[in-house]
Amino acid sequence: MNSESSARSCDALLALSCCASLAAAHAQLAVPADVNLFGDEIVKKVEVQNNGFVFRRVITVVGEKKPARVAGLTHLLLFQDGRQLRGELHALTKDEVLWKRPDAGKLLRIGRGEVRRIFLTPPDSEQSGPFFPTINNRIATPQSGAVNSRPTPATVKLPGCDWLHGDVISADGRTFEFTLKSGGKLNIPREQIEWLYFDDKPAPAVSFPASPLAMDEWLSRTGKAKIEIADGTLVVQDPPLLARKLAAQLPARFEIAIEVPEDAEEGTRLVLQPNDARTNYYTRGTVDLRFGSTELARCIYSHGSERKKTPVPDAATAPGSVVKYRVLYDGLDEQLSVLRNGTLLGQWPLIEEADRAAAGRSFKLHISAVCIEREHRGISGPLKLKSLRVQPWDGALPQAGEPAPTRDVFSGFKEAPIEGTLEVLADNGVVFSGDTKMRRAGALLRFPNQPPPLADADAHLLFGAEGEFAVADLEVRDGRARCRTSFTAAFDAPTTTLETIAFSARADDGPSPADVLVFKNGDELRGTLLAAASGQPLRWKMACGQELDLDTARVVGVRLGGEMKSTADAATVELRNGDRLRGEFAALDADTLFFKHARLGLLSIARESAWMLHPRRAALPIDGGCDASLWLQGPLAGAIASNISAPNDPKSWICIDGQYVCRRVEQGTPFGASGGIGRKLAGAGERFELRFDATDLRGDASSFSIRLSSGDASASVSLSGGTGSWYLYVFDPKAAQPVASQRIQLSDKFKNMRSRVSVRVFVDRKAGTAAFFLDGLLLAKTGRQVAGLGESVSFGAGSFSTSRAVFSNLAILPWNGELPGKDADTGPRTVLVNGDVALGAPVELRDGKFLIESEDGLFEPPAEKVQAIEFGGVFAPERAGARIRLADGCALHVDAFRFDHRELTAHSAILGAVRIPAAEVSELILDAAPVRSEARR
């Protein structure tokens, strides 16, 4: 086995073991609309039981699964670029959205083209909730065949991807009357219906391509993937992946029909998942099919992880430019059948008897997610599909050469299908060719219709479990949605019955306003900051030119659009109040530290205000609030290498004041690649320390992954996990044993866990080793050298698919090679470049030398030999009126300020009056949480 395959095998094992241990710990809760994601109140205590596994919260973020609705913030608008804004929909015209917020003095006017989704009835769970919206079809449990005391509702399959679910009857088999929950009724002609499936829960009704709009359900939530329909072919790239979680479970019997252009068949892969819409993840019941012109490769993950291959017979290689597959999933008889060009390639059991005996009665077959991708490894080109259909199946295996039915087809639960004519669909039964059939769960009625979808659709309306359909000419006024559909020219319904209004995902390539207003709950609004001052409303200009006065009670700050140009080669001084200055160290005496800043001039800082000084001009230290764009565009975080090697998408993160909040974990992303931040570490030196805090938004123990790599990413050391177990993973292709892994059980090490964990990683690049500390305790240390280790670093939001993280207090600092200990000295000290430490801080700088008085006498190291001066005492940051971050990497706390488009004027308790050109301000933090600092050693 080569090193690459060894890595992939190890990846799969780690993914399975880690996710299995985490699954019980992650309930899904919604994040309330008024939470402060940038404050300390999101940190909660968690209970530890059973050798360190966290099974339930002591205190949760919201206290219950359904958060209280906040007046004026009950709707959610999702922009094309992934940003979100709560409020209430007032009206929708052909050109714009009129949006209402309680902190704005007037309606916000937002261009309709800027909007991707409007959530009017946010679901309750976190994964589909208002802060992290995903899109579901709410498909639910398999049919039972039970007879209901009331009429069994039906899923009505309409043109394209349109469908309705509810009470439907027909007195003549020609016109069908559908009753909406709102009380309204729709009359739908038979010609607009493809099939009806009877069950209390909706059935999957997927059919495309119709338009790119119809594919929005299957794309990355950021709209990052490139998608187009060319000559009737759906083309998806960057990444070549479609993935959709259909909420609970598909029916026990369903089919997936795929038509692939002949030139794109190789490498096309279909994955059916019982849980999340992810490709490189295997759990009991996963079905993985890889198509090819000469063989079909399959893995049904109740048989083990072995991939078996079936040759394609000559009969299945019909001439033509399109290859047709039908995948028939039979959860009742527990079989999987695959046909290629109408020829059966094989039938295989979904579970072996030995597996059933081991699983006992708890074994249940179900599928809830569908993924289709064109694999990267060894394959070039996008994913291409001529068509895709996901729908219920009647259990009849088609025969080679059998023509499509030209009449209606009815099949009851586990009953063979029969052809005939529907005459009456009543509450208590179905009259089919003169015979009365039972109307019960699991019955399927198919018509020989292929109605065309609405050609000029420009939006989708989603009614939750009641249906969804494409619409044109949509307007919302006075609480009602009016539009045209494929089945009626005048649809009219109250918006209270709507769950979501969806528009086509569009590339966000055009010019946009430079500034971003960030709210405490993670909402963001692009525009231009016109003016702000202490205790006054904020003056804001929308993208359309509209000007607003906004109350700042819910605002954390503004990220300004000027390009940050941090001073990569500079001295750094940190003050006890949390200030950080980059510039030139000038002098030091018994009372004062003199520091020169390019804009503020020569500063006289009282010695008792100084916390730490790095006098040499060097790239370190690095503050997480400096050069945020480098972190967001850095290497993809993740403890495990994946088949999908796409770069990180900055739109997955909210970033301000050095805090990085993960908006969501994308559908279809593999284990450990759920989105992350990272950067290359040019100029970091031979030894450095990486520190950060990781906070879980749900109140569980924090889960994350961190990776230290060589410059070409060929070698790496990764730590991944959360709750009770962590995994150390080493990959070095030059070593005799390229792959090594270790599971670390926390056991009773962490008895007082919080949802925030402080992480410190000490890297010795020369030795090729790393040591990982969590909350001051040594968790893991590499026992082997890895060449090039630490030339880049990245970390991600978690190893589990529903992890939501805040990374904060991020810093990269010089390290003297000494690991923290229990008896670390907290007094003043001087650290030299070679790692030596002198107790005491210099009393002055004289003739290019620092004078240090110690027990051993006077010590005079040259200034260029001193790496850091720690003044000792207590780090004592206070909540300031505002925090100002400058483009050169400085951070200043001020008690009062005024900002306009020309200049920032402010007053600092330490630095006095400050005047800075507006163009040099990178962030204005209006409600700044105090800076946190770990012990120095």
Side-chain angles (χ1 to χ4, degrees):
M1 182 180 292
N2 59 33
S3 61
E4 183 179 13
S5 59
S6 298
R8 290 201 300 268
S9 299
C10 186
D11 296 348
L13 292 173
L14 285 175
L16 285 170
S17 55
C18 185
C19 288
S21 67
L22 289 168
H26 289 267
Q28 292 185 5
L29 295 180
V31 178
D34 57 351
V35 68
N36 183 3
L37 299 175
F38 303 92
D40 291 337
E41 58 264 36
I42 63 173
V43 183
K44 307 297 176 182
K45 295 180 181 178
V46 293
E47 184 177 2
V48 181
Q49 299 177 350
N50 191 21
N51 289 331
F53 285 89
V54 180
F55 282 101
R56 66 181 178 88
R57 301 174 185 80
V58 175
I59 306 172
T60 67
V61 173
V62 295
E64 56 181 12
K65 287 192 174 182
K66 187 175 182 179
R69 294 167 69 88
V70 178
L73 301 176
T74 56
H75 298 165
L76 175 71
L77 187 146
L78 179 66
F79 290 97
Q80 293 285 352
D81 63 3
R83 294 185 174 93
Q84 302 167 148
L85 184 68
R86 289 178 180 85
E88 290 184 353
L89 175 63
H90 180 78
L92 172 67
T93 72
K94 65 178 182 178
D95 298 319
E96 62 183 5
V97 177
L98 300 182
W99 195 252
K100 184 178 181 180
R101 279 187 62 93
D103 44 15
K106 61 179 73 172
L107 294 173
L108 280 64
R109 311 184 77 90
I110 302 170
R112 184 163 164 165
E114 299 178 52
V115 180
R116 183 174 181 186
R117 297 240 154 185
I118 300 174
F119 294 85
L120 300 176
T121 310
D124 296 337
S125 72
E126 181 195 35
Q127 189 170 359
S128 55
F131 183 64
F132 304 106
T134 60
I135 302 161
N136 291 323
N137 209 14
R138 295 177 179 249
I139 307 306
T141 54
Q143 73 272 17
S144 63
V147 179
N148 296 328
S149 58
R150 61 177 180 81
T152 303
T155 300
V156 182
K157 174 62 173 65
L158 299 167
C161 288
D162 297 357
W163 61 275
L164 295 168
H165 179 262
D167 297 330
V168 58
I169 58 174
S170 176
D172 56 5
R174 306 300 307 174
T175 301
F176 293 77
E177 183 181 86
F178 184 89
T179 303
L180 299 168
K181 287 183 180 180
S182 60
K185 295 184 183 296
L186 296 173
N187 290 321
I188 305 173
R190 167 193 172 96
E191 291 73 23
Q192 295 295 316
I193 301 176
E194 294 186 23
W195 48 260
L196 292 92
Y197 180 79
F198 298 91
D199 194 83
D200 287 335
K201 305 297 183 181
V206 176
S207 176
F208 64 81
S211 68
L213 176 62
M215 292 310 305
D216 191 52
E217 304 283 346
W218 295 78
L219 296 179
S220 159
R221 297 278 67 79
T222 62
K224 178 178 173 58
K226 295 180 181 178
I227 178 173
E228 62 177 342
I229 296 179
D231 298 326
T233 300
L234 181 74
V235 182
V236 185
Q237 52 189 333
D238 297 334
L241 169 69
L242 297 174
R244 186 177 182 185
K245 181 174 173 60
L246 299 172
Q249 300 167 5
L250 277 75
R253 281 177 171 163
F254 65 90
E255 72 168 292
I256 300 180
I258 302 177
E259 295 186 7
V260 186
E262 191 176 40
D263 63 352
E265 179 185 14
E266 301 295 337
T268 297
R269 179 181 176 212
L270 171 67
V271 182
L272 309 178
Q273 291 284 19
N275 299 310
D276 293 325
R278 291 185 287 169
T279 53
N280 292 3
Y281 172 72
Y282 294 85
T283 187
R284 192 169 64 187
T286 298
V287 175
D288 184 344
L289 301 175
R290 305 190 185 197
F291 304 130
S293 59
T294 60
E295 64 183 19
L296 171 75
R298 73 183 189 278
C299 173
I300 303 175
Y301 200 82
S302 60
H303 304 173
S305 58
E306 179 184 359
R307 193 170 305 282
K308 301 179 180 180
K309 298 179 179 180
T310 299
V312 174
D314 293 341
T317 58
S321 59
V322 177
V323 183
K324 300 179 180 180
Y325 282 94
R326 287 187 71 186
V327 178
L328 307 175
Y329 188 98
D330 191 337
L332 298 179
D333 293 333
E334 298 177 350
Q335 281 192 331
L336 180 76
S337 305
V338 179
L339 295 89
R340 185 181 190 270
N341 292 330
T343 298
L344 182 66
L345 297 182
Q347 283 185 302
W348 306 281
L350 290 169
I351 178 174
E352 300 286 1
E353 289 304 320
D355 295 328
R356 182 190 306 283
R361 295 183 179 181
S362 63
F363 192 94
K364 294 182 180 179
L365 292 171
H366 68 273
I367 295 295
S368 64
V370 178
C371 312
I372 308 170
E373 72 167 343
R374 191 108 186 268
E375 291 186 303
H376 284 268
R377 254 183 241 279
I379 301 294
S380 61
L383 173 67
K384 296 182 181 180
L385 297 177
K386 298 294 288 188
S387 72
L388 171 65
R389 296 177 69 87
V390 183
Q391 60 189 16
W393 174 48
D394 56 23
L397 189 66
Q399 303 300 314
E402 181 182 17
T406 58
R407 303 176 65 194
D408 303 343
V409 179
F410 178 85
S411 59
F413 180 74
K414 284 191 174 182
E415 298 175 2
I418 58 173
E419 291 191 32
T421 302
L422 174 67
E423 297 173 0
V424 176
L425 175 59
D427 287 343
N428 57 356
V430 178
V431 179
F432 191 81
S433 293
D435 291 336
T436 300
K437 305 292 184 180
M438 295 187 66
R439 175 174 174 162
R440 64 174 183 174
L444 176 63
L445 179 61
R446 291 183 288 146
F447 300 138
N449 299 330
Q450 289 289 325
L454 188 64
D456 57 347
D458 58 3
H460 257 87
L461 299 185
L462 287 79
F463 294 82
E466 200 172 5
E468 63 182 73
F469 41 82
V471 301
D473 305 326
L474 172 65
E475 291 193 357
V476 175
R477 293 185 184 277
D478 303 322
R480 301 194 70 86
R482 299 176 177 88
C483 57
R484 176 167 49 85
T485 74
S486 63
F487 51 86
T488 179
F491 181 83
D492 186 336
T495 55
T496 52
T497 64
L498 266 173
E499 182 178 281
T500 305
I501 300 173
F503 305 98
S504 293
R506 302 178 183 178
D508 187 42
D509 298 328
S512 60
D515 304 338
V516 178
L517 182 67
V518 182
F519 295 87
K520 295 177 182 178
N521 63 1
D523 287 357
E524 293 173 285
L525 185 63
R526 294 198 303 185
T528 303
L529 176 62
L530 299 179
S534 300
Q536 296 184 17
L538 181 146
R539 190 70 177 166
W540 189 257
K541 184 178 180 179
M542 299 283 291
C544 64
Q546 178 190 23
E547 296 187 6
L548 303 169
D549 287 326
L550 292 169
D551 188 331
T552 60
R554 290 188 172 93
V555 175
V556 66
V558 180
R559 189 169 66 252
L560 300 169
E563 183 180 358
M564 181 177 285
K565 298 179 180 179
S566 62
T567 308
D569 183 19
T572 303
V573 61
E574 298 178 71
L575 307 185
R576 294 185 191 278
N577 69 339
D579 281 6
R580 178 188 292 263
L581 295 170
R582 299 275 283 175
E584 182 180 347
F585 168 63
L588 175 71
D589 61 27
D591 300 315
T592 309
L593 184 153
F594 297 92
F595 197 85
K596 187 176 182 180
H597 183 263
R599 176 60 60 181
L600 302 177
L602 184 63
L603 302 172
S604 300
I605 302 171
R607 186 184 179 103
E608 61 266 21
S609 297
W611 169 247
M612 184 175 292
L613 171 67
H614 298 270
R616 300 172 64 241
R617 300 182 66 84
L620 296 184
I622 295 174
D623 175 14
C626 180
D627 286 339
S629 60
L630 293 182
W631 286 100
L632 293 176
Q633 297 174 7
L636 179 67
I640 306 298
S642 75
N643 287 341
I644 299 180
S645 55
N648 180 44
D649 183 5
K651 298 173 186 175
S652 296
W653 295 85
I654 303 165
C655 171
I656 193 168
D657 196 27
Q659 301 194 64
Y660 299 81
V661 182
C662 182
R663 285 197 183 103
R664 73 207 136 249
V665 177
E666 295 299 334
Q667 290 192 129
T669 52
F671 174 81
S674 55
I677 56 178
R679 63 181 293 167
K680 295 186 182 299
L681 297 178
E686 291 186 353
R687 298 189 186 100
F688 66 87
E689 173 193 352
L690 166 69
R691 66 171 57 162
F692 62 90
D693 293 343
T695 308
D696 186 278
L697 290 181
R698 300 151 308 175
D700 280 333
S702 182
S703 171
F704 61 89
S705 57
I706 179 170
R707 182 180 186 182
L708 301 162
S709 306
S710 59
D712 58 2
S714 61
S716 64
V717 172
S718 303
L719 182 73
S720 176
T723 61
S725 297
W726 290 80
Y727 298 84
L728 184 67
Y729 174 87
V730 180
F731 181 65
D732 186 357
K734 297 180 180 179
Q737 185 180 357
V739 179
S741 62
Q742 176 187 357
R743 179 178 177 180
I744 303 140
Q745 185 69 36
L746 293 188
S747 220
D748 57 351
K749 292 182 180 179
F750 296 89
K751 292 186 177 181
N752 298 311
M753 295 185 70
R754 303 175 302 157
S755 58
R756 173 179 290 160
V757 60
S758 294
V759 183
R760 301 181 74 183
V761 185
F762 297 89
V763 181
D764 190 327
R765 295 173 62 178
K766 185 176 182 180
T769 60
F772 299 85
F773 283 74
L774 266 65
D775 285 342
L777 295 178
L778 177 63
L779 182 68
K781 185 178 181 180
T782 57
R784 57 190 288 187
Q785 294 184 348
V786 179
L789 179 68
E791 292 178 0
S792 69
V793 61
S794 55
F795 42 92
S799 307
F800 193 74
S801 64
T802 58
S803 295
R804 313 295 183 197
V806 176
F807 292 112
S808 58
N809 201 29
L810 173 61
I812 300 176
L813 309 168
W815 173 46
N816 66 352
E818 181 181 355
L819 292 177
K822 293 182 179 180
D823 300 325
D825 178 68
T826 59
R829 64 179 189 168
T830 303
V831 181
L832 304 184
V833 174
N834 63 2
D836 290 343
V837 177
L839 297 182
V843 293
E844 65 175 313
L845 176 67
R846 182 192 302 168
D847 299 329
K849 294 182 179 181
F850 284 106
L851 276 62
I852 305 172
E853 296 178 351
S854 65
E855 295 179 355
D856 298 327
L858 188 65
F859 179 45
E860 300 180 84
E864 63 271 14
K865 300 295 184 180
V866 174
Q867 178 175 275
I869 298 171
E870 301 172 5
F871 292 92
V874 179
F875 185 74
E878 298 180 357
R879 184 176 291 274
R883 182 155 50 235
I884 311 299
R885 288 188 175 271
L886 305 184
D888 61 3
C890 295
L892 306 176
H893 293 81
V894 299
D895 45 46
F897 74 94
R898 179 173 296 276
F899 177 92
D900 58 30
H901 66 280
R902 298 181 303 274
E903 187 180 50
L904 169 79
T905 58
H907 181 269
S908 164
I910 294 179
L911 304 180
V914 173
R915 301 175 69 93
I916 302 170
E920 296 183 17
V921 180
S922 64
E923 290 182 352
L924 178 60
I925 312 302
L926 305 182
D927 188 8
V931 177
R932 295 186 298 277
S933 177
E934 294 295 324
R936 292 165 297 154
R937 296 182 57 195

